[in-house]
Amino acid sequence: VQPAMLGLWSLLLLWGLATPCQGLLETVGTLARIDKDELGKAIQNSLVGGPILQNVLGSVTAVNQGLLGSGGLLGGGGLVGHGGVFGVVEELSSLKIEELTLPKESLKLLPGFGVQLNLHTKVGMHCSGPLGGLLQLAAEVNVTSRVALGVSSRGTPILILKRCSTLLGHISLFSGLLPTPLFGVVEQMLFKVLPGLLCPVVDSVLGVVNELLGAVLGLVPLGALGSLEFSLATLPLISNQYIELDINPIVKSVAGDIIDFPKSPAPAKVPPKEDHTSQVTVPLYLFNTMFGLLQTNGALDMDITPELVPSDVPLTTTDLAALLPEALGKLPLHQHLLLSLRVKEAPTVTLNNKKALVSLLANIHVLFYVPQGTPESLFELNSVMTLRAQLTPSATKLHISLCLERLSVKVASSFTYAFDESRLEEWLSHVVRVVYAPKLNVALDVGIPLPKVLNISFSSSVLEIIENAVVLTVAS
């Protein structure tokens, strides 16, 4: 036995001891729970015409031809054509396969092991009858396979065919004459050759599904911020209703260096998954990481100049002096202001009580323009902004939009007389809502990527904010 095979068997052996927790699950990573209905859809879609299977099996293109018609796997020169699995049969009895109807799938998840997959189909064939003329036959066949859930050499979930058998059902004679004793001969012949015909179909189906499972893990670009890579944190688990993947998100800079922001010290307690739904949990860590990337890249900084401000937003020395006449009453009037806003540490995200809040600490330097000169400093403020985050799922991302809830300021330094900074809070809140928050939302347009789980779209998912995580649930 090769060492690589021993490693795979070891993974499968360990797997047999693991099934998901049925109650509250504590996690700090991204958790994906794939309902068995979604796995069934992926299998059925691959039979209908998956991109990999089309080259091997052909596609459903003609009435009554089925998936594996004359242009597909069963056509001349195909798997069961001349020289194929049925070569010996053709030499003995001129039996030829005409049609294999689109199989219907049914599956059962086997906790701690994998999947039992059944494919029910009908095989159409013809041959020269012993009494002359053409015989046309059809046989119902059930393909039963046991499939183990393992991990590939790339570290992705993989379905591995372990056992495959066929059960021959009713045989119908549509035309021609066939003596009753020869029915048994035909049955024996089909019993011997059908596994060689249909079990490779199962393998091809699993190949397509494995491609989809492998897409769960991969590199997702974040534009100028870098990229996000998903990898398995632990062995996948399987229950009788779903497959559970514990996914570790790895953030990388544009240069490819791993960026490690602090993870939440308190794990999220994920509620149980309901039947016929799939679920993805987005941890607090990813939110903090996204805002940390924006801060380190300077995307949260802004110079608010008159050109960026609508006419209804007061941004002149006259407006400011009206708020603080004692301290600023002697300023030259009608001069434009410049607000230089700098965020010097990563914002903090809080997820709980069905709310998502972002706390942002910003230094606001207020200056005024001097005719034919450089802007002169008036004062600097340390501000704390609390912004409510509106979360909206799309097919592949979780989008974030911010609006200001409240703002407080303290004077950091001043070139004027002492003043009560609280009198500036309403004015600054208006500027932030109209000018700064929209700029933040443009920077946040990149969104938080969701792992690709069997091409499941989360655009219509139900979103729930729990402590330290966001849970997206979509019906199968």
Side-chain angles (χ1 to χ4, degrees), residues 147-433:
V147 180
L149 188 56
V151 177
S152 72
S153 58
R154 296 191 301 121
T156 61
I158 187 172
L159 296 171
I160 306 161
L161 182 60
K162 306 304 293 182
R163 189 169 72 234
C164 180
S165 62
T166 59
L167 180 64
L168 198 59
H170 179 68
I171 298 177
S172 305
L173 177 63
F174 291 114
S175 67
L177 297 174
L178 182 65
T180 302
L182 289 182
F183 259 98
V185 175
V186 172
E187 285 182 338
Q188 289 297 316
M189 193 161 45
L190 293 176
F191 181 77
K192 290 181 179 179
V193 298
L194 283 176
L197 165 67
L198 298 178
C199 289
V201 173
V202 176
D203 241 345
S204 296
V205 167
L206 296 181
V208 173
V209 177
N210 285 335
E211 288 287 332
L212 295 175
L213 286 173
V216 171
L217 312 180
L219 202 64
V220 182
L222 298 175
L225 299 180
S227 61
L228 180 64
E229 184 176 0
F230 292 113
S231 64
L232 281 182
T234 63
L235 289 175
L237 308 176
I238 188 165
S239 73
N240 59 357
Q241 287 295 325
Y242 60 90
I243 296 170
E244 182 176 285
L245 304 177
D246 189 358
I247 300 170
N248 183 35
I250 302 171
V251 182
K252 295 184 176 181
S253 67
V254 175
D257 300 322
I258 294 177
I259 301 173
D260 191 16
F261 287 94
K263 291 183 172 60
S264 169
K269 295 182 179 180
V270 183
K273 186 190 79 67
E274 296 182 2
D275 290 348
H276 309 296
T277 64
S278 292
Q279 189 182 77
V280 163
T281 301
V282 183
L284 177 63
Y285 165 74
L286 272 184
F287 287 87
N288 284 328
T289 297
M290 179 61 64
F291 281 96
L293 283 173
L294 291 170
Q295 187 270 325
T296 54
N297 280 269
L300 304 182
D301 298 337
M302 186 179 188
D303 287 336
I304 300 176
T305 60
E307 297 81 14
L308 301 176
V309 177
S311 57
D312 62 335
V313 176
L315 201 69
T316 69
T317 52
T318 304
D319 302 312
L320 195 56
L323 296 173
L324 301 171
E326 302 88 353
L328 304 175
K330 296 182 179 180
L331 279 178
L333 300 179
H334 308 300
Q335 302 301 309
H336 291 297
L337 297 176
L338 165 66
L339 272 59
S340 179
L341 194 152
R342 296 293 181 266
V343 180
K344 297 184 178 179
E345 59 183 81
T348 302
V349 182
T350 304
L351 299 173
N352 59 25
N353 298 325
K354 300 183 179 181
K355 291 174 62 176
L357 297 177
V358 179
S359 179
L360 187 148
L361 307 181
N363 175 269
I364 303 175
H365 190 185
V366 180
L367 308 94
F368 72 98
Y369 287 95
V370 177
Q372 289 87 39
T374 58
E376 291 188 10
S377 178
L378 289 173
F379 52 83
E380 290 187 40
L381 303 171
N382 291 327
S383 70
V384 179
M385 301 182 199
T386 301
L387 304 111
R388 178 186 286 269
Q390 177 70 38
L391 307 178
T392 307
S394 67
T396 59
K397 291 182 180 181
L398 184 60
H399 298 275
I400 306 171
S401 178
L402 300 178
C403 63
L404 182 69
E405 276 209 343
R406 58 185 178 273
L407 176 147
S408 62
V409 295
K410 293 289 184 183
V411 174
S413 63
S414 175
F415 297 93
T416 66
Y417 297 107
F419 58 87
D420 180 7
E421 63 268 8
S422 65
R423 293 161 67 180
L424 298 175
E425 291 177 352
E426 184 177 351
W427 167 65
L428 286 172
S429 295
H430 184 47
V431 174
V432 168
R433 287 191 179 97

